[in-house]
Amino acid sequence: MMNTYSYTPEIGKINASLDVIAANLDNAVSDDVLVHCMSLMDLTTLRAEDTPASVLKLVSKVNSFKSKFPDYPLPASICVFPNYASLIRENLVAPGVGVTCVSGGFPASQTFLDVKVREAELAVENGADEIDIVLALNAFLAGDEEGARREIRAVREAVDKAGVKAGRTITLKVILETGLLISPEKIAEASFLAMEEGADFIKTSTGKVSVNATPVAAYVMCESIKAYYKMTGRKVGFKAAGGISSAKDAVCYYMIVKSVLGDSWTGRDLFRFGVSRLANSLMSAKEQQNVVYF
């Protein structure tokens, strides 16, 4: 696949570019960037102890956010387990905020394909606008590329059909779980595979393994997106998720996207953060005082 797109990760150049970004990070942190990063968030709760009451509490905070913080943008979406899709759809009134559901046997993707497909369908039927699934690593890491492709295709077809019935266009994000892929070459191969099978976004991590989002993985994914766009003309988004909790973390990934893909990729249509704690950190950094809202 890398030959098809004339791209092979060059780790020396990648590390040199990341060193430049790190050296200039303090200069890159501005109020405008901090506020903009708020608009890119898929505000996430994916805990075993989530309950209808706790999810409703998060929805209520999003609904009332602009009345308390009028100078900040709303997040791009609220991201939850699929069984909470209808709860959010029925109670979310904040304009422009989507409903994102992890699906397809998240986070391990270790179940029957029929189960993965039906779970994603049910999420859409119950109100999800966006579906985040995990690449079938059981196939991909075993060298069964076609098996991994088949699963993405099946979910893509199912959510598109469910979306048509619901009158919504569904965004599909494919999580690569880059910390388990280890090598930059494998990350690039997984990126191209997911994009070729219809992913609207490729996403770093579930946040449920020991190594989640890293700058190197993000850089390789963004370079893969650039190479894919150059070859096909289709823009695919990038989502950084897993362990991103500080304002500097967010600005680092923002600068990676900006430097590799350019300003046109820095809007919420092509760039997201999957986060639970980042909103408070961004507001605290801008206000120069501790802000705890979410």
Side-chain angles (χ1 to χ4, degrees), residues 75-290:
S77 78
I78 299 174
C79 179
V80 294
F81 288 115
N83 48 305
Y84 294 116
S86 61
L87 187 67
I88 297 182
R89 176 61 66 186
E90 292 164 4
N91 290 278
L92 182 65
V93 296
V97 180
V99 180
T100 297
C101 288
V102 296
S103 300
F106 178 94
S109 193
Q110 295 277 13
T111 189
F112 301 102
L113 179 56
D114 288 349
V115 173
K116 296 178 183 183
V117 169
R118 187 60 183 137
E119 185 180 49
E121 280 180 326
L122 283 168
V124 174
E125 289 169 7
N126 280 272
D129 304 293
E130 306 188 359
I131 297 294
D132 290 19
I133 63 169
V134 183
L135 174 69
L137 294 179
N138 53 359
F140 183 78
L141 294 177
D144 182 9
E145 179 184 303
E146 178 53 32
R149 289 178 178 276
R150 184 170 58 250
E151 295 211 358
I152 297 172
R153 285 199 301 268
V155 174
R156 173 84 268 179
E157 181 180 358
V159 299
D160 284 347
K161 287 182 178 178
V164 169
K165 289 181 181 178
R168 298 191 304 278
T169 299
I170 305 303
T171 296
L172 179 65
K173 310 189 197 91
V174 177
I175 305 165
L176 307 184
E177 203 67 287
T178 53
L180 301 182
L181 298 179
I182 301 176
S183 75
E185 291 77 15
K186 283 293 184 185
I187 293 170
E189 288 174 9
S191 297
F192 290 128
L193 184 154
M195 290 187 287
E196 286 178 353
E197 298 307 327
D200 297 305
F201 278 73
I202 52 175
K203 175 179 170 182
T204 55
S205 317
T206 62
K208 306 297 185 182
V209 296
S210 58
V211 177
N212 291 290
T214 66
V216 169
Y219 207 97
V220 172
M221 291 170 68
C222 287
E223 287 194 321
S224 299
I225 289 169
K226 184 176 182 178
Y228 179 81
Y229 173 65
K230 184 177 180 180
M231 180 69 68
T232 68
R234 186 170 80 92
K235 288 187 172 183
V236 174
F238 168 72
K239 180 173 175 179
I244 301 167
S245 59
S246 73
K248 278 197 173 182
D249 287 340
V251 176
C252 176
Y253 288 104
Y254 173 84
M255 292 307 299
I256 290 171
V257 171
K258 183 180 175 71
S259 63
V260 177
L261 293 168
D263 289 336
S264 66
W265 250 272
T266 59
R268 65 167 63 184
D269 58 330
L270 290 169
F271 182 24
R272 299 286 180 85
F273 293 110
V275 292
S276 57
R277 296 170 290 168
L278 180 63
N280 293 333
S281 297
L282 291 169
M283 289 191 291
S284 295
K286 181 181 181 299
E287 302 300 328
Q288 295 295 297
Q289 59 180 321
N290 191 38

Side-chain angles (χ1 to χ4, degrees), residues 39-109:
S39 72
L40 307 175
M41 296 186 305
D42 289 340
L43 194 62
T44 302
T45 181
L46 296 171
R47 304 174 300 169
E49 65 268 30
D50 284 344
T51 64
S54 68
V55 172
L56 277 174
K57 184 177 180 180
L58 179 61
V59 174
S60 177
K61 287 183 176 182
V62 172
N63 285 339
S64 61
F65 182 69
K66 291 293 285 184
S67 66
K68 299 180 184 298
F69 299 95
D71 296 331
Y72 288 87
L74 287 161
S77 78
I78 299 174
C79 179
V80 294
F81 288 115
N83 48 305
Y84 294 116
S86 61
L87 187 67
I88 297 182
R89 176 61 66 186
E90 292 164 4
N91 290 278
L92 182 65
V93 296
V97 180
V99 180
T100 297
C101 288
V102 296
S103 300
F106 178 94
S109 193

